[in-house]
Amino acid sequence: MICPKAGGDGRSCPSDRAKEKIVALAVFATSTTTTIYSQMLCLYTIAFSFVVASPPTHSPRRHAAPKLWGGDLADEAIVAVKAVQRAMRLCQGLACDMEAVESESTGKEMDACDTTAGVSFIKEGDSTPVTAADFAIQGMVSQELRKAFPNDRFMGEEDASDLRDDEALRSLAMRLCGSFGDPDVCDTEEVAFLSAIDRGLEKPRGQSERVWVLDPIDGTKGFMTGEGYVIGLALVDGTGDTLIGVMGVPSEEETPPIMAAVKGCGLKWYSALGDAPIEYDPPKPSWADTQDATAPPWLISPQKMFTECQPFGPEHAPKVICCGAMIKYFATVAGRGVGFIQYEESLKSWDHACGLICVQESGGEATDCDGGRVLFPDRQFGVKGGIVCSSKWASESTKG
């Protein structure tokens, strides 16, 4: 462009000169940027090649998976706790439909007039009660354990013979199992359900197999009268030594309702819902620091044996807790008693297997009368002089 004011001398307009400078700067900038980019790319390539070619001077940090409580028995402990949680919900569900009965008996026995047709009955021979919940829990837990651990044997207190003779009781037990059991496991078809209950009668195979030991409701009288009762599940090895014990107390209000023990791993507490244990330690009882002559609270079973067993003298009667043996083991761990004496020598495994390990793994002691181990080789077991267990807070003088 020729500036009309320049008189035709051919000088460029200022706008033309500006454009020429801009073009020149753009060319220079482009050239410079390309050069810098090329240099940066070259340096990056060299650095990347060095990193790839050079081995790391140390191993990369690996985040270990969180260790589950229970060690090698962690899976078994989880399944056992879940089974007890379901059984607790079943008991609470049936309790809502039951009317609590009254019984004048101080022991575990009840009279037939205290039962409800189609819901409960009295066992012949020992006058102890059984409810539809007992059968439903045994059928439910039996099926859950068979799916989770098919190679393990199962031992349960009940058998299905009475259900076969009572259509109303059978129907209710099957309905409870279907309502509260694992829907992926619980088979409520009649033959399968009754078979699952009877699986608890299987005799030892002679293969040193593990066996799950269940008391669907220990203290059924307590369940029927609105007092204490326990759902207890234990895992015993081929020698009769207890590996796992879980006790659930649906009516518990002072502590979490479930305690679980794994041999060598201690004891944990669980709520009625949830997979993980909760942080809880029972408070130290007031009697633990008592230095005077007053005897701490203690427990015995059967209650009538106090006339023969008086560790603190005839003036210090045992504390009365209903019902069954397991609720007394639970109370010992919780600090409600200095100890528990089972004053019998021929006992049933499902009444004691989970209770002893819970006391032991809580820091207490549980042995026979001579301080020996208590084993559970079959449905019944013998123990010399009875079982003596003490709380972790019991003093040496008290234990002596």
Side-chain angles (χ1 to χ4, degrees), residues 299-340:
L299 305 161
I300 191 172
S301 183
Q303 199 76 21
K304 62 185 179 183
M305 299 308 294
F306 172 58
T307 57
E308 298 182 31
C309 180
Q310 300 175 346
F312 300 106
E315 68 276 13
H316 294 298
K319 185 177 181 179
V320 178
I321 298 180
C322 180
C323 294
M326 267 193 272
I327 197 74
K328 298 173 178 66
Y329 289 117
F330 193 100
T332 300
V333 175
R336 295 168 193 162
V338 69
F340 167 48

Side-chain angles (χ1 to χ4, degrees), residues 2 7-8 10 12 27 37 58 76 94 102 130 161 171 197 211-212 264 297 302 315 320 322 333 336 341 348 396:
I2 303 299
S12 299
V27 171
Y37 176 78
H58 63 278
E76 286 85 342
L94 181 58
E102 295 183 2
V130 182
S161 58
S171 176
I197 294 175
V211 56
W212 291 91
E315 68 276 13
V320 178
C322 180
V333 175
R336 295 168 193 162
I341 299 173
K348 298 172 181 177
E396 290 301 321

Side-chain angles (χ1 to χ4, degrees), residues 106-295:
T106 57
K108 58 187 177 182
E109 299 83 7
M110 293 184 71
D111 191 270
C113 64
D114 294 327
T115 62
T116 302
V119 176
S120 57
F121 69 95
I122 301 297
K123 286 184 184 179
E124 293 184 9
D126 62 4
S127 298
T128 57
V130 182
T131 68
D134 291 85
F135 293 110
I137 290 170
Q138 183 156 320
M140 183 174 74
V141 174
S142 171
Q143 294 182 73
E144 292 173 3
L145 293 175
R146 180 171 55 189
K147 179 180 180 181
F149 309 105
N151 295 325
D152 292 346
R153 191 160 56 89
F154 175 69
M155 179 194 302
E157 179 179 8
E158 311 302 341
D159 67 79
S161 58
D162 291 302
L163 281 187
R164 291 185 173 89
D165 298 331
D166 190 330
E167 182 179 355
L169 189 68
R170 182 173 69 249
S171 176
L172 177 56
M174 292 170 58
R175 180 170 61 81
L176 290 169
C177 181
S179 298
F180 295 95
D182 185 341
D184 296 329
V185 177
C186 194
D187 188 345
T188 55
E189 188 276 324
E190 184 172 308
V191 174
F193 177 72
L194 297 177
S195 176
I197 294 175
D198 281 338
R199 198 167 74 90
L201 300 174
E202 182 183 356
K203 296 184 180 298
R205 304 168 189 163
Q207 302 172 354
S208 297
E209 72 277 358
R210 304 188 311 180
V211 56
W212 291 91
V213 181
L214 172 72
D215 193 336
I217 300 180
D218 184 52
T220 303
K221 176 188 172 183
F223 174 54
M224 295 174 63
T225 59
E227 297 177 88
Y229 63 97
V230 179
I231 295 133
L233 180 61
L235 176 62
V236 176
D237 69 12
T239 69
D241 196 18
T242 309
L243 302 175
I244 293 175
V246 181
M247 293 194 290
V249 183
S251 60
E252 179 59 42
E253 295 180 350
E254 295 180 20
T255 72
I258 297 174
M259 62 174 64
V262 175
K263 184 176 181 180
C265 297
L267 180 138
K268 296 288 186 181
W269 297 82
Y270 289 78
S271 63
L273 298 171
D275 297 335
I278 60 179
E279 293 297 326
Y280 177 77
D281 283 315
K284 187 176 182 180
S286 58
W287 53 257
D289 294 322
T290 300
Q291 299 298 323
D292 58 28
T294 302

